[in-house]
């Protein structure tokens, strides 16, 4: 099997995972992955129900959004994905969903504050929210501008340390070295979005997590002397 067919299968499997774990309903959401050597991105086709999605429905496009192989039209969000692949060279997979809690924060146009150790295990910072898009951006090349808006939010942030973002008024995009990691980040993002909202519902003045706890939890999982989990 060619490596591009393998990429297709992986992307198909990751897309099927989204409704299974409750991150998408109907046709919302999409997963893509890139073969950097070939410069080819595999992505979900536009408007196909997850139940009906077949491996060969996954569309292959190049980084200029031209279809390389596939019978169907690629996701309408393709230009956002390719913009991110062009801007973030170490990203191997991208996920976009409209998962409820992450969308709630995006619609409120608020970053998700780091409030507890679940969040700190995932990343040592708030989950950033982009600026709202201008009318020109919305009327222009909307999906490409969405990508540009995300990259702008990472002007002073590391996309490797913070593998996720909320697009204001829209929803989350997550990424990772692989599409499987990007799916995992989407799932965890939804959890921390839910936890932060519930926390602030109980106590609107609940504080941000202390730096020592952020550092402790993040470094025991991701630091040079990480000791969380089993040795591989
Ligand atoms: Zn969307």
């Amino acid at each position: 099997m060619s490596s591009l067919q393998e990429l297709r299968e992986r992307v198909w499997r990751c897309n099927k995972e989204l409704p299974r774990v409750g991150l998408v309903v109907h046709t919302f959401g999409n997963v893509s992955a890139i073969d950097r050597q070939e410069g080819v991105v595999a992505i979900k086709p536009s408007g196909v129900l997850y139940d009906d999605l077949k491996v060969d429905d996954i569309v292959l496009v190049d980084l200029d959004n031209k279809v390389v192989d596939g019978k169907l039209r690629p996701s309408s969000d393709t230009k956002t994905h390719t913009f991110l692949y062009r801007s973030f060279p170490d990203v191997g997979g991208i996920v976009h969903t409209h998962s409820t809690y992450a969308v709630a924060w995006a619609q409120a146009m608020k970053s998700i504050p780091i409030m507890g150790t679940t969040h700190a295990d995932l990343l040592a910072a708030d989950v950033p929210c982009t600026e709202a898009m201008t009318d020109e951006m919305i009327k222009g090349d909307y999906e490409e501008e969405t990508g540009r808006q995300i990259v702008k939010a990472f002007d002073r942030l590391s996309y490797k340390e913070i593998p996720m973002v909320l697009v204001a008024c829209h929803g989350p995009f997550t990424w990772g070295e692989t599409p499987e990691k990007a799916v995992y980040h989407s799932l965890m993002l939804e959890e921390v979005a839910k936890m932060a909202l519930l926390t602030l519902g109980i106590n609107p003045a609940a504080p941000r997590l202390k730096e020592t706890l952020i550092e402790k939890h993040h470094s025991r999982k991701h630091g040079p002397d990480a000791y969380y989990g089993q040795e591989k």
Side-chain angles (χ1 to χ4, degrees), residues 4-55:
L4 286 180
Q5 193 58 21
E6 275 175 40
L7 190 74
R8 225 178 201 148
E9 277 205 30
R10 257 174 108 174
V11 166
W12 173 75
R13 216 172 295 120
C14 286
N15 271 289
K16 295 290 260 188
E17 186 77 357
L18 295 185
R20 200 183 70 76
V21 296
L23 286 176
V24 300
V25 294
H26 193 54
T27 64
F28 298 155
N30 37 68
V31 183
S32 72
I34 187 167
D35 181 325
R36 290 275 173 191
Q37 255 168 2
E38 302 280 340
V40 167
V41 173
I43 192 162
K44 182 177 173 280
S46 181
V48 174
L49 287 167
Y50 285 90
D51 273 351
D52 301 339
L53 188 66
K54 304 195 182 44
V55 175

Side-chain angles (χ1 to χ4, degrees), residues 77 96-98 170:
D77 294 318
H96 171 51
T97 79
H98 288 192
H170 183 172

Side-chain angles (χ1 to χ4, degrees), residues 37-154:
Q37 255 168 2
E38 302 280 340
V40 167
V41 173
I43 192 162
K44 182 177 173 280
S46 181
V48 174
L49 287 167
Y50 285 90
D51 273 351
D52 301 339
L53 188 66
K54 304 195 182 44
V55 175
D56 286 333
D57 291 341
I58 300 296
V59 187
L60 301 181
V61 300
D62 65 18
L63 282 170
D64 297 319
N65 308 300
K66 270 219 307 286
V67 174
V68 174
D69 191 41
K71 297 177 292 290
L72 300 173
R73 275 203 349 237
S75 160
S76 52
D77 294 318
T78 298
K79 283 185 171 181
T80 310
H81 287 245
T82 52
F83 194 91
L84 295 179
Y85 285 122
R86 292 198 304 270
S87 307
F88 298 162
D90 290 320
V91 165
I94 296 172
V95 177
H96 171 51
T97 79
H98 288 192
S99 66
T100 311
Y101 288 90
V103 163
W105 284 91
Q107 291 182 172
M109 294 199 271
K110 293 262 191 210
S111 301
I112 305 173
I114 179 165
M115 305 201 72
T117 62
T118 318
H119 187 138
D121 280 340
L122 184 64
L123 73 162
D126 298 351
V127 178
C129 183
T130 67
E131 287 173 23
M133 289 170 81
T134 63
D135 289 349
E136 287 68 40
M137 289 170 159
I138 295 163
K139 288 180 195 158
D141 201 343
Y142 175 63
E143 289 79 14
E144 176 121 352
E145 292 294 348
T146 302
R148 189 168 286 117
Q149 201 71 336
I150 292 172
V151 171
K152 203 172 142 206
F154 282 79

